[in-house]
Amino acid sequence: MSKQLEFVHVLKSIARNKQMKASLMNSKELSPLLLRAAQRFITGEKRNDGLLIAKQLIEKGYFISLEYIGENTTTLENSEQAKNEFLQLIEEMGAQSMKETVSFDLSHIGLNVDEETAYRHLIELVEKAQKYNMTLMVSMEEAARTDEILAIYKQIASQYENVGITIQAYLPRSIHDLNELLHYPGKIRLVKGAYQEPAHVTLSRSSELNHRYLQLAEQVIKAERSLSIATHDELLLAECEKQKFLQLPNVQTEMLYGIHPDLLKRLKSKGYQTSTYLIYGNDWYLYLCHRIAEYPENLYQAMIDLMNPSPIKECERY
Ligand code: FDA
């Protein structure tokens, strides 16, 4: 195994290590330092931080998606708190006429409590979003959860049009899953996949994975469904452009806040629909680890940010 691959595995294990997370996040010295590095990728810890940057990006001509960051809530009380925060977020976006998208993990709003709780909370969010002409996007989590997430999504998507789902190209099953999902009206967000799964479960980053990604994108386009091409991969995006995917009215290119703003800006200047995925909240630790693990060079920037007390203004790069 190369040193880089080993580093990625170690970082992803650190990310999932609850004890390590608790000692870092509870440390009065370390936690504010890490927050500085996280601010490359998150808008801030408060709802208003997210809304403020969302507004600025909308004014610059981007679509946005907002997420109150978190996952794996294990108690009913915490899942209700998360659901209530999302309801409030939708309410405030609606009040500010942001007819945009709210994204979340089902495990944040109750999937770990039980499926019924997640379903009940999801209905509440979808109905609130519908009131304001907003879209909800369900994220995709570990492969062990795909069946549960798809089952809940299908139940909701057969009743409401304003909810979409994320599909991971690294899962071989996605071709089959997508065939079924295309019977529902919701938007499809296509990602490569972020989780550390056993090697036999996923395709690793490769030209084969990019080929699979293009196949899945074409499948959605042929079915005339809305598609988010959610990747920062310049070569893959160039291929999507060559195949005239980006030019289509129901196709958006979507990137995570803080990653390749230059590339997204360039695509926007060509007249393509571009969207930024914004995160806020205080449970950003795992998110930061994922962003470094998927691109280890980010560690250099993180170290620089740790030592730099001046505020990071990532938004200005868009
Ligand atoms: P890949 O990882 O192959 O990277 C290609 C190139 O992009 C790199 O060489 C580098 O230049 C750039 N790049 C990628 N990541 C970078 C980083 N962190 N920092 C700097 N440059 C970077 N995953 C999931 O499993 N479930 C989900 O629900 C979602 N949701 C989601 C929504 C949106 C809008 C996006 C953009 C992504 C997700 N993801 C996700 C994450 C996704 O699965 C994937 O891990 C990341 O997008 C990175 O993969 P890329 O497609 O960018 O390609």
Side-chain angles (χ1 to χ4, degrees), residues 106 138 140 145-156 165-167 173 177-178 180-181 184:
L106 282 181
V138 175
M140 193 48 78
R145 283 187 166 147
T146 309
D147 281 332
E148 277 176 302
I149 293 172
L150 290 179
I152 294 177
Y153 173 73
K154 285 175 187 170
Q155 259 181 295
I156 296 275
I165 183 110
T166 310
I167 279 290
R173 61 174 286 171
D177 290 338
L178 196 53
E180 291 196 352
L181 289 170
Y184 300 85

mmCIF file of all heavy atoms in Angstrom, residues 106 138 140 145-156 165-167 173 177-178 180-181 184:
data_model
loop_
_atom_site.group_PDB
_atom_site.id
_atom_site.type_symbol
_atom_site.label_atom_id
_atom_site.label_comp_id
_atom_site.label_asym_id
_atom_site.label_seq_id
_atom_site.Cartn_x
_atom_site.Cartn_y
_atom_site.Cartn_z
ATOM 1 N N LEU A 106 -30.205 10.952 6.314
ATOM 2 C CA LEU A 106 -31.351 10.410 7.076
ATOM 3 C C LEU A 106 -30.917 9.987 8.487
ATOM 4 O O LEU A 106 -31.710 10.034 9.422
ATOM 5 C CB LEU A 106 -31.978 9.233 6.332
ATOM 6 C CG LEU A 106 -32.889 9.593 5.159
ATOM 7 C CD1 LEU A 106 -33.472 8.333 4.534
ATOM 8 C CD2 LEU A 106 -34.031 10.517 5.591
ATOM 9 N N VAL A 138 -31.726 13.981 -0.272
ATOM 10 C CA VAL A 138 -31.290 12.982 0.712
ATOM 11 C C VAL A 138 -29.888 12.528 0.319
ATOM 12 O O VAL A 138 -29.653 12.136 -0.828
ATOM 13 C CB VAL A 138 -32.257 11.781 0.720
ATOM 14 C CG1 VAL A 138 -31.761 10.687 1.653
ATOM 15 C CG2 VAL A 138 -33.663 12.245 1.105
ATOM 16 N N MET A 140 -26.439 10.062 0.552
ATOM 17 C CA MET A 140 -26.277 8.608 0.647
ATOM 18 C C MET A 140 -25.147 8.306 1.628
ATOM 19 O O MET A 140 -24.126 8.979 1.623
ATOM 20 C CB MET A 140 -25.990 8.017 -0.740
ATOM 21 C CG MET A 140 -26.120 6.524 -0.795
ATOM 22 S SD MET A 140 -27.632 5.842 -0.062
ATOM 23 C CE MET A 140 -28.831 6.166 -1.343
ATOM 24 N N ARG A 145 -26.233 0.822 4.613
ATOM 25 C CA ARG A 145 -27.502 1.523 4.832
ATOM 26 C C ARG A 145 -28.269 1.806 3.543
ATOM 27 O O ARG A 145 -29.369 2.360 3.581
ATOM 28 C CB ARG A 145 -27.227 2.875 5.470
ATOM 29 C CG ARG A 145 -26.918 2.766 6.922
ATOM 30 C CD ARG A 145 -26.847 4.153 7.447
ATOM 31 N NE ARG A 145 -26.879 4.122 8.871
ATOM 32 C CZ ARG A 145 -26.246 4.986 9.626
ATOM 33 N NH1 ARG A 145 -25.540 5.951 9.081
ATOM 34 N NH2 ARG A 145 -26.328 4.914 10.924
ATOM 35 N N THR A 146 -27.667 1.478 2.401
ATOM 36 C CA THR A 146 -28.278 1.874 1.120
ATOM 37 C C THR A 146 -29.719 1.379 1.009
ATOM 38 O O THR A 146 -30.607 2.137 0.603
ATOM 39 C CB THR A 146 -27.422 1.361 -0.060
ATOM 40 O OG1 THR A 146 -26.081 1.750 0.159
ATOM 41 C CG2 THR A 146 -27.901 1.916 -1.389
ATOM 42 N N ASP A 147 -29.960 0.118 1.365
ATOM 43 C CA ASP A 147 -31.313 -0.445 1.214
ATOM 44 C C ASP A 147 -32.345 0.349 2.016
ATOM 45 O O ASP A 147 -33.403 0.695 1.496
ATOM 46 C CB ASP A 147 -31.337 -1.912 1.681
ATOM 47 C CG ASP A 147 -30.762 -2.830 0.607
ATOM 48 O OD1 ASP A 147 -30.860 -2.477 -0.589
ATOM 49 O OD2 ASP A 147 -30.190 -3.875 0.965
ATOM 50 N N GLU A 148 -31.995 0.626 3.287
ATOM 51 C CA GLU A 148 -32.932 1.367 4.165
ATOM 52 C C GLU A 148 -33.216 2.755 3.593
ATOM 53 O O GLU A 148 -34.367 3.211 3.555
ATOM 54 C CB GLU A 148 -32.272 1.622 5.529
ATOM 55 C CG GLU A 148 -32.316 0.523 6.534
ATOM 56 C CD GLU A 148 -31.515 0.957 7.760
ATOM 57 O OE1 GLU A 148 -30.309 1.272 7.616
ATOM 58 O OE2 GLU A 148 -32.105 1.001 8.846
ATOM 59 N N ILE A 149 -32.138 3.424 3.170
ATOM 60 C CA ILE A 149 -32.292 4.812 2.678
ATOM 61 C C ILE A 149 -33.152 4.821 1.411
ATOM 62 O O ILE A 149 -34.075 5.637 1.277
ATOM 63 C CB ILE A 149 -30.906 5.455 2.438
ATOM 64 C CG1 ILE A 149 -30.194 5.626 3.778
ATOM 65 C CG2 ILE A 149 -31.040 6.811 1.721
ATOM 66 C CD1 ILE A 149 -28.750 6.068 3.699
ATOM 67 N N LEU A 150 -32.887 3.885 0.509
ATOM 68 C CA LEU A 150 -33.670 3.843 -0.736
ATOM 69 C C LEU A 150 -35.135 3.516 -0.447
ATOM 70 O O LEU A 150 -36.035 4.088 -1.073
ATOM 71 C CB LEU A 150 -33.084 2.812 -1.710
ATOM 72 C CG LEU A 150 -31.725 3.179 -2.336
ATOM 73 C CD1 LEU A 150 -31.253 2.075 -3.266
ATOM 74 C CD2 LEU A 150 -31.807 4.507 -3.086
ATOM 75 N N ALA A 151 -35.360 2.626 0.512
ATOM 76 C CA ALA A 151 -36.748 2.246 0.820
ATOM 77 C C ALA A 151 -37.533 3.456 1.332
ATOM 78 O O ALA A 151 -38.668 3.713 0.892
ATOM 79 C CB ALA A 151 -36.767 1.119 1.845
ATOM 80 N N ILE A 152 -36.920 4.221 2.249
ATOM 81 C CA ILE A 152 -37.615 5.398 2.783
ATOM 82 C C ILE A 152 -37.810 6.428 1.673
ATOM 83 O O ILE A 152 -38.884 7.023 1.522
ATOM 84 C CB ILE A 152 -36.823 6.016 3.965
ATOM 85 C CG1 ILE A 152 -36.805 5.029 5.124
ATOM 86 C CG2 ILE A 152 -37.420 7.357 4.393
ATOM 87 C CD1 ILE A 152 -35.998 5.467 6.322
ATOM 88 N N TYR A 153 -36.762 6.613 0.874
ATOM 89 C CA TYR A 153 -36.865 7.606 -0.206
ATOM 90 C C TYR A 153 -38.019 7.256 -1.164
ATOM 91 O O TYR A 153 -38.811 8.121 -1.533
ATOM 92 C CB TYR A 153 -35.535 7.691 -0.979
ATOM 93 C CG TYR A 153 -35.683 8.580 -2.189
ATOM 94 C CD1 TYR A 153 -35.777 9.960 -2.036
ATOM 95 C CD2 TYR A 153 -35.787 8.045 -3.467
ATOM 96 C CE1 TYR A 153 -35.968 10.784 -3.136
ATOM 97 C CE2 TYR A 153 -35.976 8.864 -4.569
ATOM 98 C CZ TYR A 153 -36.067 10.236 -4.393
ATOM 99 O OH TYR A 153 -36.278 11.046 -5.474
ATOM 100 N N LYS A 154 -38.094 5.983 -1.544
ATOM 101 C CA LYS A 154 -39.123 5.603 -2.529
ATOM 102 C C LYS A 154 -40.534 5.852 -1.975
ATOM 103 O O LYS A 154 -41.427 6.285 -2.699
ATOM 104 C CB LYS A 154 -38.955 4.132 -2.924
ATOM 105 C CG LYS A 154 -37.776 3.930 -3.866
ATOM 106 C CD LYS A 154 -37.572 2.455 -4.126
ATOM 107 C CE LYS A 154 -36.310 2.202 -4.912
ATOM 108 N NZ LYS A 154 -35.972 0.782 -4.970
ATOM 109 N N GLN A 155 -40.699 5.566 -0.671
ATOM 110 C CA GLN A 155 -42.011 5.816 -0.050
ATOM 111 C C GLN A 155 -42.386 7.291 -0.162
ATOM 112 O O GLN A 155 -43.519 7.643 -0.469
ATOM 113 C CB GLN A 155 -41.928 5.474 1.443
ATOM 114 C CG GLN A 155 -42.525 4.122 1.813
ATOM 115 C CD GLN A 155 -42.405 3.942 3.305
ATOM 116 O OE1 GLN A 155 -41.299 3.861 3.832
ATOM 117 N NE2 GLN A 155 -43.530 3.899 3.996
ATOM 118 N N ILE A 156 -41.392 8.160 0.102
ATOM 119 C CA ILE A 156 -41.655 9.609 0.064
ATOM 120 C C ILE A 156 -41.798 10.097 -1.374
ATOM 121 O O ILE A 156 -42.699 10.887 -1.693
ATOM 122 C CB ILE A 156 -40.486 10.371 0.738
ATOM 123 C CG1 ILE A 156 -40.389 10.012 2.214
ATOM 124 C CG2 ILE A 156 -40.610 11.880 0.517
ATOM 125 C CD1 ILE A 156 -41.265 10.793 3.138
ATOM 126 N N ILE A 165 -32.507 12.328 -4.438
ATOM 127 C CA ILE A 165 -31.631 11.376 -3.737
ATOM 128 C C ILE A 165 -30.239 11.338 -4.365
ATOM 129 O O ILE A 165 -30.088 11.604 -5.548
ATOM 130 C CB ILE A 165 -32.273 9.963 -3.737
ATOM 131 C CG1 ILE A 165 -31.448 8.932 -2.946
ATOM 132 C CG2 ILE A 165 -32.426 9.415 -5.156
ATOM 133 C CD1 ILE A 165 -32.059 8.494 -1.691
ATOM 134 N N THR A 166 -29.282 10.982 -3.532
ATOM 135 C CA THR A 166 -27.886 10.887 -3.986
ATOM 136 C C THR A 166 -27.546 9.433 -4.328
ATOM 137 O O THR A 166 -27.923 8.520 -3.594
ATOM 138 C CB THR A 166 -26.950 11.370 -2.853
ATOM 139 O OG1 THR A 166 -27.424 12.635 -2.389
ATOM 140 C CG2 THR A 166 -25.521 11.486 -3.335
ATOM 141 N N ILE A 167 -26.843 9.271 -5.435
ATOM 142 C CA ILE A 167 -26.418 7.928 -5.856
ATOM 143 C C ILE A 167 -24.890 7.913 -5.964
ATOM 144 O O ILE A 167 -24.290 8.850 -6.495
ATOM 145 C CB ILE A 167 -27.095 7.587 -7.215
ATOM 146 C CG1 ILE A 167 -28.517 7.123 -6.975
ATOM 147 C CG2 ILE A 167 -26.350 6.545 -7.993
ATOM 148 C CD1 ILE A 167 -28.632 5.756 -6.314
ATOM 149 N N ARG A 173 -23.933 -1.672 -7.454
ATOM 150 C CA ARG A 173 -25.388 -1.815 -7.455
ATOM 151 C C ARG A 173 -26.113 -0.575 -7.988
ATOM 152 O O ARG A 173 -27.314 -0.635 -8.274
ATOM 153 C CB ARG A 173 -25.897 -2.132 -6.034
ATOM 154 C CG ARG A 173 -25.590 -1.045 -5.023
ATOM 155 C CD ARG A 173 -26.227 -1.323 -3.663
ATOM 156 N NE ARG A 173 -27.662 -1.091 -3.683
ATOM 157 C CZ ARG A 173 -28.488 -1.417 -2.696
ATOM 158 N NH1 ARG A 173 -28.005 -2.000 -1.614
ATOM 159 N NH2 ARG A 173 -29.769 -1.176 -2.779
ATOM 160 N N ASP A 177 -30.023 0.270 -9.008
ATOM 161 C CA ASP A 177 -30.795 1.189 -8.157
ATOM 162 C C ASP A 177 -31.335 2.359 -8.971
ATOM 163 O O ASP A 177 -32.488 2.771 -8.801
ATOM 164 C CB ASP A 177 -29.925 1.732 -7.009
ATOM 165 C CG ASP A 177 -29.591 0.666 -5.973
ATOM 166 O OD1 ASP A 177 -30.339 -0.337 -5.888
ATOM 167 O OD2 ASP A 177 -28.579 0.819 -5.262
ATOM 168 N N LEU A 178 -30.474 2.875 -9.842
ATOM 169 C CA LEU A 178 -30.881 4.036 -10.632
ATOM 170 C C LEU A 178 -32.046 3.683 -11.557
ATOM 171 O O LEU A 178 -32.996 4.467 -11.683
ATOM 172 C CB LEU A 178 -29.681 4.544 -11.436
ATOM 173 C CG LEU A 178 -29.801 5.938 -12.018
ATOM 174 C CD1 LEU A 178 -30.188 6.962 -10.956
ATOM 175 C CD2 LEU A 178 -28.483 6.356 -12.655
ATOM 176 N N GLU A 180 -34.423 1.766 -11.031
ATOM 177 C CA GLU A 180 -35.663 1.823 -10.244
ATOM 178 C C GLU A 180 -36.015 3.258 -9.862
ATOM 179 O O GLU A 180 -37.172 3.665 -9.924
ATOM 180 C CB GLU A 180 -35.504 0.989 -8.979
ATOM 181 C CG GLU A 180 -35.423 -0.483 -9.303
ATOM 182 C CD GLU A 180 -35.661 -1.341 -8.079
ATOM 183 O OE1 GLU A 180 -35.733 -0.801 -6.963
ATOM 184 O OE2 GLU A 180 -35.771 -2.558 -8.275
ATOM 185 N N LEU A 181 -34.970 4.031 -9.475
ATOM 186 C CA LEU A 181 -35.228 5.404 -9.012
ATOM 187 C C LEU A 181 -35.776 6.288 -10.122
ATOM 188 O O LEU A 181 -36.489 7.252 -9.857
ATOM 189 C CB LEU A 181 -33.937 6.016 -8.450
ATOM 190 C CG LEU A 181 -33.480 5.418 -7.119
ATOM 191 C CD1 LEU A 181 -32.080 5.906 -6.767
ATOM 192 C CD2 LEU A 181 -34.459 5.777 -5.996
ATOM 193 N N TYR A 184 -39.329 7.433 -10.323
ATOM 194 C CA TYR A 184 -39.828 8.497 -9.434
ATOM 195 C C TYR A 184 -39.390 9.845 -10.008
ATOM 196 O O TYR A 184 -38.399 9.922 -10.734
ATOM 197 C CB TYR A 184 -39.256 8.300 -8.019
ATOM 198 C CG TYR A 184 -39.648 6.973 -7.419
ATOM 199 C CD1 TYR A 184 -38.906 5.816 -7.693
ATOM 200 C CD2 TYR A 184 -40.774 6.858 -6.615
ATOM 201 C CE1 TYR A 184 -39.269 4.581 -7.178
ATOM 202 C CE2 TYR A 184 -41.146 5.633 -6.089
ATOM 203 C CZ TYR A 184 -40.392 4.497 -6.374
ATOM 204 O OH TYR A 184 -40.764 3.283 -5.856
#
